[in-house]
Amino acid sequence: MLLAFADETDDAIPLNVISADALDKALDRLPSSARNWVKGQGFSAGLGEFVLIPDAEGQVSEGLIGFGTEAKRARGRFHLGAVAKALPKGTYRIASGLEGSDLEEAALAWLLAGYSFDQYRKPAQPIAGLVAPEGVDAERLAIIANGEALTRDLINTPASDMGPDELEQAVRRVASDHDAAINVITGDDLLSSNFPMIHTVGRASTRAPRLLDLRWGQAGPQLTLVGKGVCFDTGGLNLKPGSSMALMKKDMGGAATVLGLAQMIMALRLPLRLRVLIPAVENSIDGNAFRPQDILTSRKGLTVEINNTDAEGRLVLADALTLSDEDAPDLVISMATLTGAARVAVGPDLSPFYTDSNDDAAALSKSGDAVADPVWRMPFHTPYEAMIEPGIADLDNAPKGGFAGSITAALFLRRFVESRYVHFDIYGWQPSAAPSRPKGGVGMGARAILEALPELLNL
């Protein structure tokens, strides 16, 4: 679905956004009949409240939207998304009460509120339209919203219709839309091309594993995005229980997020060279499935002892990260639904990330705050390196003990990258509906990265 602002029209209904402490002042400007109407509706400017005011002929003349208190607003984001879903059909414009980043967030919230995953059901009714507010970059916001919609669609699609081949087709569509080049290595060709761990993880599935490699741009610094594309994760021979397997269609959320981000970057024509690497596999069970205690040799030459076949994402990422390093990019960013430990640490709403650069961490944190895409720095804690060294091989894919699981996974990945590197351990799922974020797949961290790129790459 295409998310877009409404066409400009003189008939758009003005909406005035009012914080709780400004209610009395707002009411004073209204004629007595309108003031009495607002009071009679019980409008108190609470967060998410709205009231539409009729004119003498009974037509809506304007609307008031409650913006609550600063303390209430701090407990969430995209608050106008809830109002956008609730308003009667029509075309509206934001007339007053918001400016700067608040206005931009409100406009994006409205666009994202229009998202609905309707592939397997009757399409939802369109929400009320919003004319792009003056003072925001409407084209940029629409590009961002549609990149997010792509990410959500990919994650929401069940694994029966989103395996490695379908994920490849999604990448090909994006590449075609933006005149990007794409190269794909599939099946046993992964072995002859020296991607042994991608092949090993995906070989038990009837759907061949593959490495997707997209390139775009001719000049500028090179950014390489690496996304985990495990289209379904049974856990392999270390089979997940049913409760843990229920959401594993989202285990390609890292791939979905980097592809949505790549679409944003290309549509905005950012002055950089972009590479996107996605190892696309399904972690299944068959007679040729890899086993606990197997020792794998990676593309980099490091050996990995398998102590849990359910820690497969770091294996496929390791080969892709090694490849990412080989043309010396200016920055490598990986995104993956990698560990449950990250969710225990920060919950489903924050995107934890790892970097050795204080400057990069500051840029991402500042950008996340600016665009309502919260991120949180986690430590590449080098003293924990011993936890990923099993003795019999160079690395252990699943250290025992249960401590620091997200950190040890990030340290594992860092062993395969010598370039400047940032790793995101995201969730990719909205567990319950919130403004502009229905329950289901959701992009995390992409908007923060996009906002930070001018500083990260000196664009």
Side-chain angles (χ1 to χ4, degrees):
M1 68 167 19
L2 182 66
L3 303 178
F5 289 109
D7 294 335
E8 183 70 52
T9 172
D10 294 336
D11 297 331
I13 298 168
L15 298 174
N16 300 285
V17 182
I18 302 168
S19 60
D21 59 3
L23 177 59
D24 289 342
K25 184 177 180 180
L27 292 179
D28 286 344
R29 72 165 180 82
L30 296 174
S32 59
S33 58
R35 187 163 55 247
N36 291 336
W37 173 265
V38 171
K39 290 180 178 179
Q41 297 299 308
F43 179 77
S44 62
L47 191 60
E49 290 183 1
F50 71 89
V51 60
L52 299 179
I53 303 172
D55 60 20
E57 285 74 39
Q59 300 297 315
V60 176
S61 62
E62 66 174 288
L64 306 182
I65 295 177
F67 209 42
T69 64
E70 185 175 350
K72 286 286 188 181
R73 293 193 295 273
R75 298 182 67 172
R77 61 189 187 278
F78 293 149
H79 301 295
L80 256 66
V83 177
K85 294 278 284 187
L87 281 169
K89 285 185 180 180
T91 301
Y92 299 83
R93 63 180 176 85
I94 298 174
S96 68
L98 296 175
E99 58 185 18
S101 60
D102 285 337
L103 183 60
E104 186 170 281
E105 181 188 335
L108 180 60
W110 200 295
L111 288 177
L112 291 176
Y115 174 83
S116 178
F117 184 65
D118 297 327
Q119 185 172 334
Y120 302 93
R121 65 182 182 186
K122 182 179 178 181
Q125 291 295 313
I127 68 169
L130 179 72
V131 173
E134 293 185 11
V136 305
D137 188 336
E139 181 181 9
R140 177 183 173 87
L141 289 181
I143 286 170
I144 290 171
N146 284 288
E148 165 73 12
L150 170 63
T151 294
R152 294 181 184 186
D153 280 348
L154 294 173
I155 297 174
N156 284 327
T157 302
S160 57
D161 293 330
M162 185 53 64
D165 182 67
E166 290 84 0
L167 185 54
E168 175 186 333
Q169 297 311 311
V171 176
R172 288 189 180 278
R173 286 192 297 272
V174 172
S176 176
D177 288 344
H178 299 283
D179 296 322
I182 182 170
N183 182 59
V184 179
I185 303 171
T186 305
D188 290 345
D189 288 345
L190 289 164
L191 294 175
S192 58
S193 299
N194 193 25
F195 296 101
M197 294 207 296
I198 297 174
H199 183 273
T200 296
V201 171
R203 72 189 182 200
S205 174
T206 57
R207 309 155 100 179
R210 63 206 68 197
L211 177 66
L212 313 176
D213 186 351
L214 177 151
R215 288 181 181 268
W216 174 86
Q218 302 299 320
Q222 180 171 318
L223 169 67
T224 299
L225 304 176
V226 182
K228 175 185 169 184
V230 178
C231 295
F232 195 81
D233 181 18
T234 66
L237 293 178
N238 291 113
L239 188 68
K240 293 177 182 286
S243 59
S244 298
M245 208 184 300
L247 283 181
M248 283 302 100
K249 71 173 185 178
K250 78 170 185 66
D251 213 23
M252 40 65 72
T257 304
V258 300
L259 189 57
L261 174 57
Q263 178 173 287
M264 298 176 201
I265 289 169
M266 293 186 288
L268 290 168
R269 308 296 299 177
L270 295 188
L272 54 79
R273 290 172 295 135
L274 175 67
R275 190 179 193 184
V276 178
L277 295 171
I278 295 175
V281 303
E282 185 173 40
N283 188 21
S284 298
I285 298 174
D286 199 7
N288 65 343
F290 71 118
R291 299 160 291 263
Q293 302 301 302
D294 282 356
I295 294 180
L296 310 181
T297 301
S298 68
R299 179 180 181 85
K300 194 176 180 71
L302 295 173
T303 56
V304 181
E305 181 180 10
I306 303 302
N307 281 307
N308 192 321
T309 63
D310 194 20
E312 84 300 329
R314 65 201 71 183
L315 303 177
V316 300
L317 286 171
D319 274 356
L321 286 168
T322 301
L323 175 63
S324 77
D325 235 17
E326 292 171 10
D327 59 356
D330 295 278
L331 177 63
V332 176
I333 300 177
S334 63
M335 304 193 83
T337 53
L338 202 62
T339 70
R343 311 286 70 75
V344 173
V346 300
D349 201 39
L350 284 166
S351 301
F353 71 94
Y354 295 82
T355 176
D356 285 317
S357 167
N358 290 334
D359 290 341
D360 290 352
L364 286 164
S365 297
K366 178 178 66 177
S367 294
D369 289 342
V371 297
D373 188 13
V375 300
W376 195 264
R377 187 185 189 181
M378 297 277 281
F380 269 138
H381 191 55
T382 300
Y384 289 165
E385 288 278 2
M387 296 170 67
I388 60 172
E389 297 169 345
I392 193 171
D394 294 319
L395 294 169
D396 182 343
N397 84 316
K400 296 178 176 61
F403 289 137
S406 181
I407 297 173
T408 55
L411 290 171
F412 180 99
L413 296 178
R414 190 174 68 168
R415 291 289 188 98
F416 296 88
V417 190
E418 295 177 16
S419 303
R420 181 173 156 221
Y421 178 48
V422 179
H423 165 60
F424 279 79
D425 189 346
I426 61 173
Y427 191 43
W429 192 259
Q430 182 70 28
S432 57
S436 301
R437 288 160 292 154
K439 181 179 179 180
V442 69
M444 299 181 69
R447 290 184 296 105
I449 295 169
L450 184 71
E451 181 74 10
L453 283 179
E455 185 170 349
L456 293 173
L457 294 175
N458 296 315
L459 300 180

